């Protein structure tokens, strides 16, 4: 027995065992396939958008990345506004959490949900409720990586020109 079940009374333990026996099995393989298909499709769309910027607008691959991210964010927000992204996320699970589109969905869905509370306290205050920790983690991680890069590769400059 695990340490969690030792804290239960005998009746509670019996109930836990009964509940576990009747709990539906999770289709892990199918969920992984769904996540792979949706995440892969999002990445394919992103790659197609980048290729359009490279071949139709004359950008090089590096310069095409910023407008590509902007277009992917726009697509994600529009799909969130129509409720499509949330249905897709419910079906695909973690596959819809591709960083750029998943983050845009998180922010826009929170803004949409709390718009009735006003622009400042509703949209502005609640929009970063879920995504705020992601931003903080990203900033701290970038700072740590930058310090490590400075320590272990002091001769390199970040200019890239």
């Amino acid at each position: 027995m695990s340490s969690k079940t030792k804290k239960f009374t005998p009746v509670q333990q019996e109930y836990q065992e009964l509940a576990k026996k009747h709990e539906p099995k999770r289709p892990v393989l199918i969920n992984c396939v769904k996540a792979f298909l949706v995440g892969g499709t999002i990445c394919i769309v992103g790659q197609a958008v980048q290729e359009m910027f490279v071949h139709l607008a004359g950008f090089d691959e590096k310069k095409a990345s910023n407008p590509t991210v902007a277009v992917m964010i726009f697509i994600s927000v529009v799909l969130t506004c129509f409720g499509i992204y949330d249905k897709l996320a419910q079906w695909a699970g973690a596959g819809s959490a591709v960083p750029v589109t998943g983050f845009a969905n998180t922010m826009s869905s929170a803004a949409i949900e709390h718009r009735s509370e006003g622009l400042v306290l509703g949209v502005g205050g609640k929009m970063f409720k879920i995504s705020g920790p992601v931003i903080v983690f990203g900033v701290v991680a970038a700072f740590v990586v930058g310090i490590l890069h400075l320590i272990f590769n002091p001769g390199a400059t970040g200019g890239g020109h």
Side-chain angles (χ1 to χ4, degrees), residues 90-145:
Q90 192 173 23
W91 183 80
S96 65
V98 174
V100 171
T101 56
F103 188 72
N105 169 260
T106 301
M107 293 204 45
S108 59
S109 62
I112 291 167
E113 183 179 342
H114 297 288
R115 71 182 180 271
S116 64
E117 297 173 32
L119 287 177
V120 175
L121 296 177
V123 174
K126 306 289 186 195
M127 192 164 64
F128 295 102
K129 191 177 194 178
I130 295 172
S131 56
V134 175
I135 294 170
V136 170
F137 178 78
V139 169
V140 170
F143 177 76
V144 169
V145 168

Side-chain angles (χ1 to χ4, degrees), residues 13-155:
Q13 287 177 355
E14 184 179 333
Y15 176 77
Q16 290 292 327
E17 291 170 10
L18 181 66
K20 191 168 221 133
K21 190 188 309 182
H22 292 288
E23 187 176 283
K25 301 288 184 232
R26 292 191 182 114
V28 176
L29 182 62
I30 292 172
N31 289 346
C32 289
V33 169
K34 288 178 182 179
F36 176 78
L37 290 174
V38 170
T41 301
I42 292 170
C43 292
I44 289 171
V45 170
Q47 188 65 44
V49 169
Q50 183 175 5
E51 293 297 321
M52 286 190 327
F53 279 114
V54 169
H55 296 293
L56 299 178
F59 287 77
D60 63 22
E61 283 191 23
K62 189 172 185 176
K63 288 184 179 176
S65 62
N66 287 339
T68 299
V69 170
V71 168
M72 294 304 291
I73 289 170
F74 179 77
I75 291 170
S76 175
V77 170
V78 168
L79 291 177
T80 299
C81 290
F82 289 118
I84 296 169
Y85 201 96
D86 293 333
K87 289 178 184 172
L88 183 69
Q90 192 173 23
W91 183 80
S96 65
V98 174
V100 171
T101 56
F103 188 72
N105 169 260
T106 301
M107 293 204 45
S108 59
S109 62
I112 291 167
E113 183 179 342
H114 297 288
R115 71 182 180 271
S116 64
E117 297 173 32
L119 287 177
V120 175
L121 296 177
V123 174
K126 306 289 186 195
M127 192 164 64
F128 295 102
K129 191 177 194 178
I130 295 172
S131 56
V134 175
I135 294 170
V136 170
F137 178 78
V139 169
V140 170
F143 177 76
V144 169
V145 168
I147 295 295
L148 291 173
H149 179 72
L150 191 65
I151 292 169
F152 294 112
N153 200 1

